[in-house]
């Protein structure tokens, strides 16, 4: 083996070991960044889950309030109609009495 071949082999080995070192460092860096990204992603998923839960509660509360409002409205209308009927019935006999009195005078 010539000196030139030996130098080439030494340089090749040195470059190979440096390249492996760089690859190892780069892989560690990628793993660390991936771990950080995964942690952030989990936090984000937790926040999204919490927001979805809160939105679900708000939708349920809103639906419940709307249903209560509709029931209250129906109840109020029913009460008003009942009161109207009572008043209408109390006015009708008085009107009939006035009409009968008017017919007798004619």
């Amino acid at each position: 083996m010539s000196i030139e071949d030996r130098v080439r082999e030494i340089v090749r080995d040195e470059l190979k070991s440096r390249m492996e070192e760089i690859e190892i460092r780069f892989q560690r860096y990628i793993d660390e960044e991936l771990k950080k990204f995964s942690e952030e992603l989990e936090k984000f998923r937790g926040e999204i889950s919490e927001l979805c839960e809160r939105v679900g509660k708000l939708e349920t509360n809103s639906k419940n309030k709307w249903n209560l409002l509709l029931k209250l409205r129906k109840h109020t209308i029913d009460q008003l109609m009942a009161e109207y009927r009572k008043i209408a019935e109390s006015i009708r006999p008085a009107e009939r009495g006035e009409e009968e009195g008017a017919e007798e005078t004619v």
Side-chain angles (χ1 to χ4, degrees), residues 1 3-4 8-10 12 17 22-23 25 29 31 34 42-43 47 49 52 58 67 69 77 81 89 92 98 103:
M1 186 180 252
I3 294 179
E4 196 176 286
R8 281 187 183 139
E9 188 176 312
I10 292 172
R12 190 178 308 127
S17 69
I22 291 171
E23 286 176 351
R25 278 194 240 150
Y29 175 76
D31 290 344
L34 185 60
E42 284 303 313
K43 287 179 187 176
E47 290 173 1
S49 175
C52 287
L58 287 173
N67 286 338
L69 182 65
I77 290 173
M81 288 303 294
E89 287 174 8
R92 284 184 189 148
E98 289 176 7
E103 287 176 5

Side-chain angles (χ1 to χ4, degrees), residues 14-85:
E14 183 65 29
L15 288 175
K16 186 177 179 183
S17 69
R18 285 187 182 177
M19 183 66 124
E20 287 172 355
E21 219 175 276
I22 291 171
E23 286 176 351
I24 289 170
R25 278 194 240 150
F26 188 67
Q27 187 62 44
R28 284 181 187 158
Y29 175 76
I30 289 174
D31 290 344
E32 289 172 4
E33 290 298 313
L34 185 60
K35 184 178 177 182
K36 289 177 187 177
F37 179 74
S38 295
E39 289 170 356
E40 289 296 318
L41 184 61
E42 284 303 313
K43 287 179 187 176
F44 185 64
R45 284 181 179 161
E47 290 173 1
I48 288 176
S49 175
E50 184 180 319
L51 287 174
C52 287
E53 185 178 322
R54 289 172 66 188
V55 166
K57 286 179 182 178
L58 287 173
E59 286 176 345
T60 301
N61 288 341
S62 174
K63 183 179 176 183
N64 290 341
K65 287 178 182 178
W66 182 251
N67 286 338
L68 286 173
L69 182 65
L70 290 177
K71 286 179 184 177
L72 177 64
R73 181 174 178 248
K74 183 184 181 304
H75 179 71
T76 304
I77 290 173
D78 289 346
Q79 265 187 326
L80 287 172
M81 288 303 294
E83 290 295 321
Y84 172 78
R85 286 185 195 110

